[in-house]
Amino acid sequence: MPPTDLIFDDGEPLESNRHRITMNVLIRSLKHYWAERTNYFVGGNMFIYYSSKQAKNQDFKGPDFFVVLDVENDPTRLGWVVWEENGRYPDMIVELLSDSTEAKDLGMKKRLYEQVFKTKDYFVFHPFKVNSLQGWHLDSDKGYQPITPNPQGWLWSSSLGLWVGTWNGTVEDDNAVWLRFYDQAGNVVLLPEEANQQRADAERQARLNAVSRLLDMGLSVEQVADSLSLTIAEVAAMRRE
């Protein structure tokens, strides 16, 4: 019988705060992008149990980020237990490299994901090394084959239907080069707060355009304010922009 006394927390934090932020950016942006979907599970820094021997020896810590497609999106999972998930393994995995884990992520773990998990897409990225992104796609005959980058240096994840690439900007007050998803059109997959800010900026620009158009038509500031349900001060401020 499979073991039932599984441990899901080893008490070890991620390598650095930037590793934690990178993992959360990937999780939160994908969940926001797939808000209407219910047939997937995304996890981060979670144990994956795949055999009784491995569970007994506790010799494997889970990926930093992984996605399993065509499964129930159950947020109460403490980890991913393959024998409780109809034998399903992750379809896509990202490991965030560090100086202490790089050899294992590119060696033992890569072989495990290729030969046991048979994970379709595997990516690695070092949050403190800008040009460290690498990726492999599983070929049924040849095993993992390197994914060729596009002109921007992004790598295509066929399992997610998204590009995996780098993005320079500020997240949680840390200005760095981050690992992000991009859609087929090349747009960065937004975090919820980025999407909210984008909508707010678009709405403000639309108001500015409307104020400018009405003033150009000869309406007074008072008339424009009344027409757009704005205060006179707001119209005056927009007029100066």
Side-chain angles (χ1 to χ4, degrees):
M1 292 293 292
T4 57
D5 56 339
L6 302 177
I7 298 172
F8 292 104
D9 185 3
D10 59 6
E12 294 184 12
L14 287 168
E15 189 75 16
S16 72
N17 191 51
R18 189 173 292 179
H19 283 74
R20 176 191 63 80
I21 295 173
T22 302
M23 180 190 73
N24 287 336
V25 164
L26 294 176
I27 292 173
R28 296 178 63 239
S29 62
L30 186 66
K31 283 186 174 182
H32 182 261
Y33 185 70
W34 281 352
E36 303 302 318
R37 292 183 59 168
T38 59
N39 63 339
Y40 75 98
F41 179 76
V42 56
N45 197 31
M46 295 175 65
F47 281 14
I48 294 179
Y49 284 105
Y50 59 93
S51 75
S52 297
K53 179 180 178 181
Q54 171 257 345
K56 180 180 179 181
N57 295 338
Q58 299 177 20
D59 60 356
F60 178 68
K61 297 175 177 60
D64 293 314
F65 173 89
F66 69 92
V67 181
V68 190
L69 302 174
D70 300 317
V71 296
E72 182 183 359
N73 187 1
D74 182 0
T76 66
R77 289 182 177 98
L78 298 176
W80 190 264
V81 183
V82 169
W83 56 84
E84 294 179 356
E85 303 288 353
N86 297 314
R88 290 299 313 279
Y89 287 88
D91 293 278
M92 185 269 204
I93 287 176
V94 176
E95 289 288 5
L96 301 176
L97 304 178
S98 67
D99 294 343
S100 63
T101 66
E102 185 168 344
K104 182 181 291 185
D105 291 333
L106 295 175
M108 179 274 288
K109 282 192 174 182
K110 183 168 176 265
R111 289 191 296 274
L112 179 72
Y113 300 153
E114 175 187 41
Q115 298 171 12
V116 179
F117 287 22
K118 299 192 182 301
T119 294
K120 297 183 184 71
D121 296 321
Y122 178 46
F123 300 90
V124 296
F125 178 71
H126 195 309
F128 290 92
K129 296 180 180 179
V130 175
N131 298 315
S132 60
L133 176 62
Q134 299 179 71
W136 298 267
H137 180 73
L138 187 65
D139 182 282
S140 58
D141 297 321
K142 301 177 181 178
Y144 272 151
Q145 298 299 303
I147 300 173
T148 303
N150 72 356
Q152 290 84 5
W154 306 343
L155 306 178
W156 181 249
S157 171
S158 59
S159 55
L160 301 189
L162 294 169
W163 294 100
V164 179
T166 54
W167 175 87
N168 196 331
T170 301
V171 183
E172 293 190 23
D173 300 322
D174 186 1
N175 186 273
V177 174
W178 302 98
L179 194 64
R180 299 290 298 262
F181 294 121
Y182 293 84
D183 65 20
Q184 287 183 309
N187 302 304
V188 66
V189 174
L190 299 175
L191 292 161
E193 58 269 27
E194 292 173 330
N196 291 337
Q197 185 61 54
Q198 188 178 81
R199 283 192 293 271
D201 291 344
E203 290 170 0
R204 178 167 178 76
Q205 187 59 52
R207 288 196 299 271
L208 284 170
N209 293 342
V211 166
S212 179
R213 183 177 66 255
L214 293 175
L215 290 173
D216 288 345
M217 292 170 58
L219 274 68
S220 67
V221 170
E222 291 78 8
Q223 289 173 316
V224 172
D226 183 63
S227 175
L228 298 177
S229 300
L230 299 171
T231 67
I232 292 175
E234 286 174 327
V235 174
M238 292 180 186
R239 189 180 189 182
R240 291 191 296 268
E241 292 187 19

